[in-house]
DNA sequence: CATATTGTTCGTAAAATGACGAACAAATAT
DNA sequence: ATATTTGTTCGTCATTTTACGAACAATATG
């Protein structure tokens, strides 16, 4: 924790999360997963108007931010919210927005 | 509201807000303003380790996203949260985060 | 009027983002 | 063993983001 560093860890953390949420496609995925526990990316490809490689990138960003996790299941991959980090995100945003 | 459009307005709106919040400097400003009603950008320039032109850009982004507003006051500019949109942002994030 | 003070705008540059199709890897099914 | 399904990775490209300093505009102060 360097001294001259003005920005707090929480500010950095919530900015990191917000950045990951800063695209409509990614919010679509997050909302879906917050409603139905899991989904397969194939389902998303069918519905979303983007190439599967692009979707893959978006999912990777959500994964890198810790918001979702993917579990290999036969030929497909099952995506779910990362419950632990999701709770953390809830708390962080609550902290920054509610007061 | 076009038919083939999968993404909802709320998803787009919250993504827009999240994008604006997706930088530590901007979260710093937002947190400050959520605590102390207003500030002058000069105060920020003193504290933050970035050029004033860069700060100006960040403030503009927050303004464009509707999160803050600037009021000219003599030689300086007073920045505050845009209360109305801030409430909207609170509601949107609450909705998406299930809080 | 001259001169600070304050912030934006401009020009520039490096890096990141978002998108695509093609190629690839892994696993299942034929 | 070959084909099919599923998703990632690669190469590419255009656009956006982040950052800086210099120049500029507007407004106070001497």
């Amino acid at each position: 924790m360097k001294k001259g560093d003005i920005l707090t860890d929480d500010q950095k953390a919530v900015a990191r999360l917000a950045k990951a949420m800063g695209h409509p496609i990614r919010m679509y995925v997050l909302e879906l997963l917050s409603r139905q526990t899991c989904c397969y990316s194939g389902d998303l490809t069918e519905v979303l108007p983007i190439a599967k490689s692009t979707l893959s990138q978006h999912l990777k960003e959500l994964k890198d931010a810790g918001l979702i996790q993917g579990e290999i299941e036969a030929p497909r991959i099952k995506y779910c919210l990362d419950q632990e980090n999701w709770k953390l995100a809830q708390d962080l945003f609550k902290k920054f927005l509610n007061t």
Side-chain angles (χ1 to χ4, degrees), chain A:
Chain A
M1 198 91 77
K2 213 170 60 183
K3 183 165 163 257
D5 204 352
I6 297 304
L7 305 167
T8 69
D9 287 348
D10 275 2
Q11 281 159 1
K12 291 175 190 167
V14 80
R16 177 78 185 79
L17 292 169
K19 193 177 179 188
M21 295 165 63
H23 192 289
I25 294 278
R26 297 197 288 267
M27 283 313 306
Y28 175 92
V29 174
L30 288 177
E31 185 178 9
L32 189 72
L33 290 181
S34 75
R35 290 199 194 291
Q36 70 177 48
T37 73
C38 75
C39 76
Y40 298 91
S41 48
D43 309 344
L44 300 171
T45 322
E46 304 251 310
V47 175
L48 294 172
I50 56 174
K52 59 179 180 168
S53 56
T54 306
L55 175 62
S56 188
Q57 280 183 117
H58 284 305
L59 292 173
K60 178 167 160 38
E61 283 190 64
L62 290 173
K63 231 187 304 178
D64 289 348
L67 288 168
I68 68 173
Q69 56 184 49
E71 190 186 337
I72 298 173
E73 192 167 282
R76 299 180 295 172
I77 296 182
K78 188 175 73 175
Y79 283 102
C80 320
L81 288 183
D82 184 316
Q83 290 300 338
E84 194 170 333
N85 285 326
W86 184 250
K87 284 188 183 61
L88 235 153
Q90 288 174 324
D91 290 346
L92 272 174
F93 276 98
K94 197 180 288 185
K95 178 189 162 192
F96 276 91
L97 289 167
N98 276 5
T99 312

